[in-house]
Amino acid sequence: MRVIESLLIDGQWSAGGHERQADVFNPATGELIARLGLASSADLDRALAAAQRGFQAWRKVSAYERSKVLRRAADLVRERSDEIAALITLEQGKPLAEAKMEAFGAGDHIDWYAEEGRRAYGRVIPPRARGVRQVVLREPIGPVAAFSPWNFPVSQLVRKIAGALAAGCSIIAKGPEESPSSCIELCRAFQDAGVPPGVLNLVFGVPAEVSDYLIRSEVIRKVSFTGSVPVGRALGALAGRYLKRCTLELGGHAPFIVCDDVDVEAVAALGAGLKFRNGGQICASPTRFYVQDAVHDQFVAAFCRAGAGLKMGDGQDPSSQLGPLANPRRVAAIQEYVDDALAVGAQLALGGQRGEGEGFFYPATVLTGVPENARVMSEEPFGPIASIVRFSTLEEVIDKANSLPFGLAAFAFTRSIQRATLLADELESGMVSINHFGLAAPETPFGGVKDSGYGSEGGSEGLDAYFTTKFVSQVG
Ligand code: NAD
């Protein structure tokens, strides 16, 4: 069985000590396709020492030179995007067209940080006395420990790497063990573009062991994690104990509010497209569809038509629109959510039963009349289930939308400017997208409130997270 050379430490690739390995599967067939070398604590020590040296060198490189290296990396990622996309699909399952968007789009994220890093201005504060200069400098925070998940192996990781490197930080990234190869190729592009040894290090391992080891280390000054709320809470607590700055991008349970004044067919088609993208395994995926009484039935019918029309199959087949889920845990979890919702009184309008055969497939599923005590209404489903519920007044739906501890993304559709403004103001959410899907561009902040996270990735906020502030007061 092929062992993937998975660790990049101090500019050298290796498969680790071969003491421990993880299995990598093709989710479309369930077949074991490779083994992944996992980092030992000795590997992590080497990565920490390399990141420390890398930081001391990289912070002295001018923002202008760093930007040139990052732009080269962006070009290489775009040139190699077909190969990177094929690896995303092979190990994570999403349809090839979605994987291509993810791989090609990574270049955009790198370009954005390359540009923004050159504009990391400080400021000058007028002094109280003549002859005093007061300057605020932004300095790179130091070596970063970053943890990225399997659902977007490239686009989750690239924001952390590009943000850290643009600011002048070094980074040790732990990629997702279930879909490692596209992360490896992403890091290879940075390396080939001229990122010096030790500045970018990539490891895979037993997640809890690696995060515990790195966050406790004196070398690490900043932690960035994308994943579930419980893990984020644990890593945030550890980072707090060691006073490490922290960015957490966690789960969501996005409301999708449809008012009775919209083009129902168009909104239902858009909603189904968003819902079933990447099999619903997206933190900003719409999960609770609240539809106003007068258009509820028409919306359900149009939404089910769109869901039923999706061709489910191996993501490597260009005609597939709904790939397998990333792992068997998701298939089991989705079946449990469906069974539980039906047991408490929901109706099944589409799907709801995993098929026979190989691979981790689950069909597009629509539940209607879902009671609030169904688990799927309060736990993040992270799969291809849409729960559709009626509402009458805007006040009622705002209360429902805000009733969960999550607050990542929210979507609302209306032709009324008053309603749109009220929803934008009242929804407790880090991101609100009205009358379209307008999230996740490199130049816009991406992050949640409440349990959905802490801080933002993307936008100038994303770069800010890698700087500290130094105030210099000088006479003469
Ligand atoms: P999980 O909670 O075990 O893992 C989520 C991610 O965190 C994985 O990438 C995992 O490798 C990593 N992880 C787990 N424990 C860790 C630790 N102690 N230190 C560092 N990293 C750690 O669950 P799972 O079954 O892999 O995924 C299911 C849930 O995770 C979903 O329901 C969803 O809520 C969440 N998730 C969210 C995102 C996101 O984009 N915010 C991405 C993937 C998964």
Side-chain angles (χ1 to χ4, degrees), residues 44-121:
L44 296 180
D45 283 336
R46 285 194 302 118
L48 286 163
Q52 180 72 299
R53 284 193 300 276
F55 175 56
Q56 292 311 332
W58 189 241
R59 66 193 281 266
K60 296 191 189 107
V61 175
S62 70
Y64 175 71
E65 288 299 327
R66 289 198 298 255
S67 171
K68 285 206 288 195
V69 174
L70 289 181
R71 280 173 173 282
R72 271 201 297 277
D75 288 341
L76 288 178
V77 168
R78 280 188 284 259
E79 275 170 28
R80 301 174 186 178
S81 59
D82 281 350
E83 293 87 63
I84 296 175
L87 293 170
I88 297 176
T89 295
L90 177 68
E91 295 177 353
Q92 194 269 340
K94 71 183 53 155
L96 206 48
E98 291 183 26
K100 282 187 178 169
M101 272 183 350
E102 177 175 352
F104 197 81
D108 255 15
H109 286 280
I110 304 171
D111 272 343
W112 155 260
Y113 278 112
E115 291 163 12
E116 200 63 7
R118 293 178 62 189
R119 301 191 192 108
Y121 308 128

Side-chain angles (χ1 to χ4, degrees), residues 210-370:
V210 177
S211 55
D212 196 68
Y213 202 82
L214 294 182
I215 296 172
R216 284 174 198 270
S217 162
E218 280 181 8
V219 169
I220 296 301
R221 298 311 320 157
K222 154 98 191 167
V223 176
S224 177
F225 170 76
T226 301
S228 64
V229 175
V231 176
R233 211 185 283 286
L235 299 198
L238 192 61
R241 182 160 156 208
Y242 290 89
L243 297 177
K244 307 286 165 82
R245 278 251 300 274
C246 199
T247 300
L248 302 171
E249 204 273 275
L250 308 178
H253 209 315
F256 185 104
I257 298 170
V258 184
C259 296
D260 57 11
D261 56 2
V262 298
D263 176 343
V264 182
E265 303 285 326
V267 175
L270 179 82
L274 276 182
K275 171 68 259 179
F276 298 117
R277 190 174 148 225
N278 200 15
Q281 301 162 114
I282 305 182
C283 51
S285 179
T287 44
R288 294 173 291 153
F289 290 80
Y290 294 113
V291 184
Q292 207 158 13
D293 286 322
V295 295
H296 174 272
D297 293 353
Q298 189 189 351
F299 181 87
V300 170
F303 193 95
C304 287
R305 267 200 313 281
L310 294 174
K311 181 170 177 248
M312 187 165 75
D314 187 335
Q316 294 180 79
D317 174 346
S319 68
S320 296
Q321 295 163 303
L322 183 61
L325 301 189
N327 54 55
R329 296 191 299 287
R330 296 282 10 108
V331 177
I334 301 309
Q335 193 62 59
E336 279 178 31
Y337 285 127
V338 171
D339 295 345
D340 167 78
L342 297 179
V344 296
Q347 288 95 52
L348 188 62
L350 184 70
Q353 207 43 260
R354 74 164 297 188
E356 301 294 315
E358 59 187 17
F360 313 140
F361 288 95
Y362 201 94
T365 293
V366 179
L367 297 164
T368 58
V370 190

Side-chain angles (χ1 to χ4, degrees), residues 149-171:
W150 44 261
N151 61 337
F152 285 93
V154 167
S155 62
Q156 304 275 24
L157 183 59
V158 73
R159 295 162 182 240
K160 299 183 195 300
I161 295 176
L165 265 48
C169 298
S170 60
I171 184 167

